[in-house]
Amino acid sequence: MLPVVYTFPFGYLLIQVGNIFLSKLLHEMTLRKLAKEEIAAYNAPFPTIKSRKPVAKFPSEVPFSGKPAANHQTMVGYSEWLKVTQMPKLFLNFSPGVLINKGMAEWIEKSLPNLTTVDCGAGKHFVQEDAPDLIGQKIVAWMSTQLSSQSEPSSRRIDMYKTRLWEAHGLHVACPDLDLVSATESQPSHAIL
């Protein structure tokens, strides 16, 4: 599918005219049947062919066979950094998965140091639609473990992790503050990350 989105007119016809991501892939890559209201919420920002242009832009930016080159290099650099950094990492593994299949999951577990893997059961690509509460609970549990295992104040440590992540890639992006402690105290089953 991805190589097709690079070509005109096929990518344009599939994504902008046919609305394939929302009309087909959203449903095929979610285990449960989405309610009409949920589908309407996904479709609301993209009612016209012209409004779907951003939807077409994203897949054309995903590196495939080394193109686009700048994005490919960014992904290679990020992959190499993940293999050497000791920053704690969380891998929420869903099966059968789509982009992360069994072989990729095994590679992730063998290749990334200081990784916690959590088996989350069944899921394809849009796992946030199938298991939103479970995802939130697993993230909160993991972050609580990370925060309790270190002596620095939690907000300073989270800021340090965010800064390391962005700076490792030469990125200077303004990130909204993450106040995990107050988020977990007020809503124990959800974390906004």
Side-chain angles (χ1 to χ4, degrees), residues 105-120:
E106 290 171 355
W107 179 88
I108 289 169
E109 291 175 342
K110 286 191 287 188
S111 302
L112 306 185
N114 205 10
L115 175 75
T116 302
T117 299
V118 178
D119 181 10
C120 295

Side-chain angles (χ1 to χ4, degrees), residues 87-124:
M87 180 182 291
K89 295 170 268 314
L90 174 63
F91 173 39
L92 300 177
N93 189 22
F94 288 84
S95 296
V98 173
L99 298 177
I100 300 178
N101 58 27
K102 185 178 179 181
M104 177 62 75
E106 290 171 355
W107 179 88
I108 289 169
E109 291 175 342
K110 286 191 287 188
S111 302
L112 306 185
N114 205 10
L115 175 75
T116 302
T117 299
V118 178
D119 181 10
C120 295
K124 291 183 178 179

Side-chain angles (χ1 to χ4, degrees), residues 152-163:
E152 290 183 59
S154 60
S155 61
R156 182 173 171 208
R157 193 167 40 259
I158 291 169
D159 287 341
M160 176 186 67
Y161 287 153
K162 287 191 305 187
T163 301

Side-chain angles (χ1 to χ4, degrees), residues 67-187:
K67 296 177 185 177
N71 295 358
H72 174 76
Q73 284 305 108
T74 298
M75 294 298 288
V76 168
Y78 186 55
S79 178
E80 293 302 314
W81 176 77
L82 283 172
K83 290 191 280 188
V84 297
T85 183
Q86 290 301 312
M87 180 182 291
K89 295 170 268 314
L90 174 63
F91 173 39
L92 300 177
N93 189 22
F94 288 84
S95 296
V98 173
L99 298 177
I100 300 178
N101 58 27
K102 185 178 179 181
M104 177 62 75
E106 290 171 355
W107 179 88
I108 289 169
E109 291 175 342
K110 286 191 287 188
S111 302
L112 306 185
N114 205 10
L115 175 75
T116 302
T117 299
V118 178
D119 181 10
C120 295
K124 291 183 178 179
H125 184 69
F126 298 107
V127 295
Q128 75 281 2
E129 290 297 344
D130 291 318
D133 292 336
L134 176 67
I135 292 169
Q137 291 163 0
K138 298 300 183 184
I139 292 170
V140 168
W142 179 79
M143 284 299 295
S144 297
T145 302
Q146 295 301 310
L147 298 175
S148 66
S149 69
Q150 300 181 19
S151 59
E152 290 183 59
S154 60
S155 61
R156 182 173 171 208
R157 193 167 40 259
I158 291 169
D159 287 341
M160 176 186 67
Y161 287 153
K162 287 191 305 187
T163 301
R164 283 184 192 166
L165 178 62
W166 292 112
E167 289 178 352
H169 307 308
L171 301 174
H172 300 285
V173 178
C175 296
D177 289 334
L178 171 63
D179 187 355
L180 183 70
V181 174
S182 63
T184 59
E185 290 169 358
S186 64
Q187 298 177 348

Side-chain angles (χ1 to χ4, degrees), residues 2-106:
L2 281 178
V4 173
V5 301
Y6 293 114
T7 62
F8 184 84
F10 300 112
Y12 169 78
L13 291 171
L14 285 171
I15 297 169
Q16 286 184 250
V17 176
N19 198 19
I20 192 169
F21 284 129
L22 297 177
S23 66
K24 187 168 174 64
L25 296 180
L26 176 63
H27 304 284
E28 289 181 1
M29 294 190 184
T30 305
L31 293 177
R32 70 179 179 87
K33 183 175 179 173
L34 297 174
K36 288 179 184 178
E37 298 80 19
E38 293 170 311
I39 295 168
Y42 271 103
N43 281 306
F46 311 108
T48 65
I49 292 171
K50 184 176 180 181
S51 68
R52 293 184 203 121
K53 188 174 182 178
V55 179
K57 182 67 173 164
F58 170 72
S60 72
E61 295 293 326
V62 175
F64 186 80
S65 298
K67 296 177 185 177
N71 295 358
H72 174 76
Q73 284 305 108
T74 298
M75 294 298 288
V76 168
Y78 186 55
S79 178
E80 293 302 314
W81 176 77
L82 283 172
K83 290 191 280 188
V84 297
T85 183
Q86 290 301 312
M87 180 182 291
K89 295 170 268 314
L90 174 63
F91 173 39
L92 300 177
N93 189 22
F94 288 84
S95 296
V98 173
L99 298 177
I100 300 178
N101 58 27
K102 185 178 179 181
M104 177 62 75
E106 290 171 355

